[in-house]
Amino acid sequence: MADPDVAPPTAPDRRSAAAARSSASAVLRDLRAIDGALYAAVAATPTPTLDRALRRLSHAADHSKISLTVAAGLALVPGRPRRAALAGVGAVALASAAANLFGKRMVRRRRPDREQARVVVDRHVPMPRSASFPSGHTASAAAFATAVGVALPAAAVPLGALAAAVGYSRVHTGVHYPGDVAAGAVLGFAAAATSLAVLRVRLDRFSG
């Protein structure tokens, strides 16, 4: 039953809402077009020297193996390195859960058509069956690099460069659009901020 105190939308209101939806749809179409064009440009650019190296990097980043290996090394050193490892692993866990349990299930974007884009075989890694958006590899790598970099500034530049390379490798190998990678990076930053905040609270409680 309609609330008598709430006025029904007028015709101008409905037109404004329809115009806003139309504008949003047009913007999304343009962004998808840009995303597809960037993906095609990467696929069409011959880089034989980089192809195998980036393929190996992309494969090595499966299941956050690189990040977890670095974390294991840091955890052996008491003090700040160990705290950085804890923050990094926590950030990876949050980023992975957010990307795979929520992001991919909500958006359900199809993976790129690697054959149609003619991505050379030397770049190929197995095409995941999960949705394309966002990039889980990028989310986890960015989360780890950001969390560890804040807790241990000396590691910020090399881990940041590694995370960027992992993100790019997912486009280079043809399994993600650039927009997937950008979204994964944003998700990773958010996961790192959350992990650092939780770790800070726990340290404050312990020291208090």
Side-chain angles (χ1 to χ4, degrees):
M1 183 176 179
D3 189 339
D5 295 328
V6 178
T10 63
D13 290 337
R14 288 193 292 269
R15 286 196 294 270
S16 297
R21 287 193 296 269
S22 177
S23 296
S25 297
V27 170
L28 287 174
R29 282 196 301 271
D30 289 348
L31 290 175
R32 282 195 293 267
I34 294 171
D35 209 15
L38 290 173
Y39 177 88
V42 171
T45 302
T47 53
T49 305
L50 294 175
D51 288 347
R52 292 187 179 181
L54 288 170
R55 183 188 68 194
R56 290 170 181 164
L57 174 63
S58 182
H59 179 68
D62 288 349
H63 309 296
S64 300
K65 291 193 294 285
I66 298 174
S67 297
L68 295 179
T69 300
V70 174
L74 292 174
L76 297 175
V77 184
R80 180 173 286 186
R82 185 169 294 170
R83 291 195 295 272
L86 288 173
V89 170
V92 168
L94 289 171
S96 180
N100 294 299
L101 299 180
F102 297 101
K104 292 180 183 293
R105 294 185 180 185
M106 290 175 61
V107 179
R108 296 185 180 277
R109 187 183 195 185
R110 289 185 178 181
R111 293 279 175 172
D113 189 335
R114 192 161 52 184
E115 285 68 33
Q116 183 178 7
R118 297 182 180 179
V119 177
V120 297
V121 175
D122 275 351
R123 299 184 184 186
H124 284 199
V125 295
M127 180 66 77
R129 295 183 179 180
S130 60
S132 189
F133 184 96
S135 167
H137 283 66
T138 306
S140 295
F144 184 80
T146 304
V148 173
V150 170
L152 191 66
V157 172
L159 289 180
L162 179 60
V166 168
Y168 174 74
S169 75
R170 301 304 284 172
V171 180
H172 195 85
T173 56
V175 298
H176 276 294
Y177 293 103
D180 303 333
V181 170
V186 172
L187 187 59
F189 298 150
T194 303
S195 180
L196 288 166
V198 170
L199 181 62
R200 190 173 297 113
V201 168
R202 290 185 176 180
L203 288 175
D204 289 344
R205 287 181 179 177
F206 181 79
S207 61

